[in-house]
Amino acid sequence: MIMNKKVLFLDMDGTTLDDKYRISEENTEALRKVTKAGHEVVITTGRTYSSAAYLRQHYGLDRIGCRYMIVCNGAAIVDCETGEFLFSRTLPLEHAYHLIDAARREGVYLHTYASDKVLTERDDENLAHYISRTNMEVLLVPDLKEALKVPPYKMLGINIHEQKSLRRFMDMLSEWWEDKVNMYFSCAEYLEFVPRGISKGAALRIFCERMDIPVENTVAAGDENNDISMIKAAGVGCAVANASENVKAAADYVTGRDHNHSAAAEIAERFMLNNC
């Protein structure tokens, strides 16, 4: 077991990225120091592989040594240098079809993914909002069930105006979902659906096992409900200053800075670079 190596698991949106979906130079420089010291920085996000890979390349995280990514809220772990999937789990099609039918009945916007594209049958303001944040391409289809041929990593319900409708949808599914899928909010307007047992926290533990690194040597940082599992799983769990109150309650440390003021750099300096 590698006893001296540390791993920093970093959520992207609302944690490492600012409100304009950028990574500050201070964050980038701090993360460069972490990898130069021989530690790992793992992009840990609800985004898809293609969306996370875009961030990694666009902001130069690949050039400073960020090799691994956990994507789709833990449904896949990727070695970006080799293209190897260290872990992968998808939603069974029967569960995906059930969610599509339920969303249609309740009038909830729902999409999934086909390769590097958003796959949806509804072209509305919820889709426009999502695309503005991710820059992903869209494959608009007349029938989502008919178009979905391969089990997806995740599905996403969106309501940009009010969370109550998504919570009602969640409650409506309560008798069905518990032994079939995991679902949680990644922000106020996004309700995520992933395979049963999948979470960022579970992926953190799998990564450590595969890399032979003690979980005690890990630091995780996030801001929303889908980050709580990894904040609790890590050796040190951090919430950024702008995090939800329940995320802060789950954390060992709450930053003084928010995501617009390089909170990731604060965490890297305090927990990854001291006494390296």
Side-chain angles (χ1 to χ4, degrees):
M1 183 166 282
I2 305 173
M3 299 305 296
N4 296 321
K5 191 165 191 168
K6 298 179 183 179
V7 187
L8 174 58
F9 295 88
L10 272 182
D11 171 56
M12 290 287 104
D13 295 273
T15 300
T16 308
L17 304 180
D18 65 19
D19 279 340
K20 295 183 178 179
Y21 310 110
R22 303 171 303 189
I23 299 177
S24 70
E25 290 185 10
E26 186 177 359
N27 277 346
T28 302
E29 178 58 19
L31 300 182
R32 185 194 65 78
K33 290 178 181 177
V34 169
T35 59
K36 188 176 181 180
H39 306 305
E40 298 287 353
V41 175
V42 180
I43 295 168
T44 309
T45 179
R47 290 181 181 236
T48 64
Y49 172 70
S50 62
S51 181
Y54 168 80
L55 292 178
R56 177 176 175 269
Q57 183 176 28
H58 183 73
Y59 290 109
L61 298 180
D62 55 340
R63 296 189 294 277
I64 64 170
C66 297
R67 174 173 179 171
Y68 301 98
M69 298 194 307
I70 293 172
V71 298
C72 296
N73 285 309
I77 305 173
V78 188
D79 181 340
C80 297
E81 287 192 7
T82 66
E84 177 188 4
F85 277 64
L86 306 180
F87 173 80
S88 177
R89 186 177 297 170
T90 54
L91 274 168
L93 280 174
E94 62 180 300
H95 297 165
Y97 293 161
H98 184 95
L99 289 169
I100 292 168
D101 286 337
R104 286 172 176 168
R105 288 194 306 270
E106 299 300 315
V108 171
Y109 172 89
L110 183 75
H111 76 230
T112 187
Y113 307 88
S115 184
D116 59 348
K117 294 181 175 62
V118 175
L119 185 65
T120 183
E121 61 188 24
R122 270 178 65 174
D123 185 4
D124 65 13
E125 58 189 342
N126 295 297
L127 174 62
H129 172 80
Y130 183 81
I131 296 305
S132 72
R133 294 181 66 170
T134 63
N135 294 311
M136 293 185 71
E137 295 183 24
V138 178
L139 183 58
L140 195 63
V141 297
D143 187 327
L144 188 53
K145 286 175 66 176
E146 180 65 27
L148 187 59
K149 302 297 185 183
V150 178
Y153 284 111
K154 75 166 192 173
M155 306 186 83
L156 184 65
I158 304 177
N159 189 311
I160 62 173
H161 294 299
E162 51 105 10
Q163 193 182 62
K164 288 181 180 179
S165 66
L166 293 177
R167 290 201 173 276
R168 286 195 298 269
F169 186 55
M170 194 177 188
D171 291 342
M172 186 272 294
L173 292 167
S174 61
E175 294 185 4
W176 170 82
W177 74 273
E178 191 169 356
D179 62 344
K180 298 177 177 66
V181 302
N182 278 12
M183 56 181 169
Y184 31 65
F185 285 92
S186 56
C187 61
E189 62 267 27
Y190 291 177
L191 179 59
E192 309 263 354
F193 300 92
V194 296
R196 181 64 183 162
I198 293 300
S199 68
K200 290 185 178 183
L204 180 155
R205 290 187 288 269
I206 291 169
F207 181 88
C208 289
E209 181 179 349
R210 297 287 173 89
M211 304 302 290
D212 203 28
I213 296 171
V215 171
E216 293 77 16
N217 289 15
T218 65
V219 179
D223 71 307
E224 279 290 353
N225 288 351
N226 61 323
D227 300 316
I228 290 176
S229 63
M230 73 169 179
I231 286 170
K232 288 183 173 181
V236 178
C238 302
V240 292
N242 54 286
S244 303
E245 290 304 315
N246 53 336
V247 178
K248 291 178 180 179
D252 302 302
Y253 177 78
V254 179
T255 62
R257 307 186 205 174
D258 65 17
H259 65 310
N260 288 320
H261 297 89
S262 304
E266 178 183 336
I267 292 164
E269 293 285 350
R270 184 181 182 95
F271 297 107
M272 299 295 292
L273 297 173
N274 284 341
N275 302 317
C276 285

